[in-house]
């Protein structure tokens, strides 16, 4: 294989997440020391460039993801697509935090929630539909002008800096506040409280935009469950295969180029250090060995807004000293 790319779609951390001294990640640290590392603020924009598609500053995550997840033809629907992610909020002394745990709803709970939402908010021009697990689609009758943030970037952090901005930000923030009030004593939440599950504090609205043109390039092979990537590949006439449990399970001889995108890396029960330790064992270490052994020609890693490029030649830069993985990634 000429080109192998591994993307961690939702693993974000800062210097405060650094592990105890002595906890090391040899393969990742070697790759970071010997490869070329650049800032890459949005993995979705990078994927667009990789397949020859230039996204606007506001990447239409919802509209693209809808192409993969829509159970019906949306051609007759007018409006703007947004994603509505389930969130559990925790109040601090002087701020509100987005909890690391993401509430996931059953199909029955989503149907009940959608029915009640559409009765309560349809007059405002919003419709909720096709919820699954921890996310649904929101259709806005009007096109809203707002910058929003992927909730994966906000988990465990203060929500204030990540709230919508732009001309239509007041409308979106008002909607999110009204949804919180509506959900406070909703039967779905009462049932979750009785079962001991984290309550659904609100819906995080984000990712609105206009559907881009069809990708012009030949698409690399894709292994991913991410709806945005699956939607892009659907638009380009391709498809995504499931992600295997580890690098060793990949068939590298079949494709010239492959992108593997791992989702669900953040965990309420595991620290960033523990997550990276698992990734080291299952992905970083075997991928580096494959590069050194000539099974892949180039390794790229997109993690925590950093893009690593490592070739077989650059992996031999033994004079570059490795640093703890967190230091190079924060």
């Amino acid at each position: 294989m000429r080109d192998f790319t591994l993307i961690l779609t939702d693993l974000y951390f800062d210097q405060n997440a650094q592990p105890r001294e002595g906890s090391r990640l040899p393969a990742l640290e070697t790759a970071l020391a010997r490869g070329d590392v650049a800032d890459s603020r949005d993995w979705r924009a990078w994927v667009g460039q990789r397949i020859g598609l230039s996204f606007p500053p506001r990447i239409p995550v919802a509209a693209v993801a809808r192409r993969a997840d829509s159970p019906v033809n949306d051609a007759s629907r007018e409006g703007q697509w947004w994603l509505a992610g389930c969130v559990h909020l925790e109040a601090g002394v002087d701020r509100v935090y987005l909890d690391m745990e993401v509430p996931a709803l059953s199909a029955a709970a989503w149907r009940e929630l959608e029915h009640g939402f559409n009765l309560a908010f349809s007059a405002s021009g919003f419709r909720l539909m096709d919820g699954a697990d921890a996310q649904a689609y929101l259709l806005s009758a009007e096109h809203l002008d707002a910058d929003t943030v992927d909730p994966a970037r906000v988990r465990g952090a203060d929500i204030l800096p990540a709230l919508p901005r732009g001309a239509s930000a007041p409308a979106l923030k008002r909607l999110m506040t009204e949804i919180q009030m509506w959900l406070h004593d909703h039967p779905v939440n009462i049932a979750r409280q009785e079962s001991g599950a984290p309550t659904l504090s609100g819906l995080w609205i984000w990712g609105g935009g206009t559907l881009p043109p069809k990708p012009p390039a030949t698409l690399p092979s894709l292994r991913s469950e991410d709806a945005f990537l699956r939607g892009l590949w659907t638009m380009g006439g391709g498809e995504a295969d499931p992600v295997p449990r580890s690098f060793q399970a990949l068939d590298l001889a079949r494709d010239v180029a492959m992108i593997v995108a791992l989702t669900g890396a953040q965990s309420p029960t595991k620290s960033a250090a523990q997550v990276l330790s698992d990734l080291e064992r299952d992905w970083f270490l075997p991928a580096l060995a494959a590069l050194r052994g000539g099974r892949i020609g180039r390794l790229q890693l997109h993690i925590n807004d950093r893009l690593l490029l490592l070739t077989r030649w650059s992996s031999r830069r033994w004079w570059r000293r490795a640093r703890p993985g967190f230091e190079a990634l924060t």
Side-chain angles (χ1 to χ4, degrees):
M1 174 174 290
R2 186 179 64 202
D3 193 347
F4 177 78
T5 301
L6 179 64
I7 300 174
L8 304 182
T9 67
D10 60 352
L11 183 61
Y12 299 102
F13 51 85
D14 58 26
Q15 62 271 20
N16 296 322
Q18 290 195 29
R20 300 185 305 272
E21 186 175 355
S23 179
R24 301 297 296 266
L25 305 162
L28 177 61
E29 292 167 12
T30 297
L32 290 169
R34 300 184 182 180
D36 298 309
V37 182
D39 289 338
S40 184
R41 298 302 300 176
D42 195 313
W43 63 265
R44 295 182 179 91
W46 179 86
V47 170
Q49 294 174 354
R50 170 64 179 81
I51 64 174
L53 189 62
S54 179
F55 284 116
R58 293 172 185 162
I59 299 177
V61 182
V64 173
R66 183 71 184 169
R67 292 298 300 270
D69 283 347
S70 174
V72 296
N73 186 348
D74 284 327
S76 61
R77 300 187 189 274
E78 295 183 359
Q80 184 182 35
W81 289 107
W82 296 81
L83 291 171
C86 298
V87 293
H88 178 73
L89 303 176
E90 291 286 349
V93 175
D94 58 354
R95 60 194 67 188
V96 177
Y97 296 89
L98 193 68
D99 195 74
M100 288 291 295
E101 187 166 1
V102 181
L105 304 182
S106 67
W110 269 120
R111 300 294 84 79
E112 182 178 357
L113 205 66
E114 290 166 9
H115 177 72
F117 179 97
N118 293 332
L119 287 175
F121 293 95
S122 60
S124 301
F126 297 101
R127 182 172 179 79
L128 191 70
M129 63 187 74
D130 300 329
D133 297 327
Q135 185 169 268
Y137 289 92
L138 183 74
L139 184 62
S140 168
E142 297 182 7
H143 282 250
L144 303 176
D145 177 14
D147 295 313
T148 56
V149 177
D150 184 341
R153 294 181 174 273
V154 194
R155 292 178 195 165
D158 179 9
I159 68 170
L160 184 59
L163 291 176
R165 300 189 179 193
S168 300
L172 271 186
K173 288 191 284 189
R174 183 169 56 251
L175 173 65
M176 292 168 71
T177 299
E178 291 175 354
I179 291 173
Q180 288 182 47
M181 298 171 64
W182 173 70
L183 285 172
H184 180 69
D185 57 356
H186 193 281
V188 167
N189 259 336
I190 294 174
R192 293 182 69 84
Q193 288 176 332
E194 293 175 348
S195 67
T199 56
L200 177 61
S201 303
L203 296 175
W204 189 269
I205 311 301
W206 70 288
T210 303
L211 194 68
K214 174 182 175 181
T218 300
L219 298 173
S221 174
L222 176 65
R223 307 286 187 276
S224 178
E225 278 85 37
D226 180 78
F228 172 80
L229 289 175
R230 292 189 294 110
L232 270 186
W233 261 245
T234 297
M235 290 169 58
E239 59 184 27
D241 290 328
V243 177
R245 297 188 62 180
S246 67
F247 180 88
Q248 291 93 326
L250 293 171
D251 182 2
L252 300 179
R254 192 179 71 178
D255 302 294
V256 174
M258 179 186 295
I259 294 175
V260 174
L262 304 181
T263 58
Q266 287 191 348
S267 168
T269 60
K270 289 185 178 181
S271 67
Q274 291 171 317
V275 170
L276 284 173
S277 179
D278 292 343
L279 291 168
E280 170 85 2
R281 178 194 64 225
D282 296 333
W283 293 94
F284 303 152
L285 186 60
L288 182 59
L291 180 74
R292 287 172 165 169
R295 295 177 61 207
I296 58 178
R298 184 171 72 163
L299 170 65
Q300 294 183 101
L301 173 64
H302 212 297
I303 175 174
N304 205 42
D305 291 332
R306 300 290 190 277
L307 179 63
L308 163 71
L309 171 60
L310 187 68
T311 64
R312 191 178 183 187
W313 178 87
S314 62
S315 70
R316 297 169 181 166
R317 293 168 171 166
W318 54 266
W319 58 90
R320 291 191 177 185
R321 298 187 61 183
R323 296 181 294 155
F326 278 77
E327 291 184 12
L329 291 173
T330 58

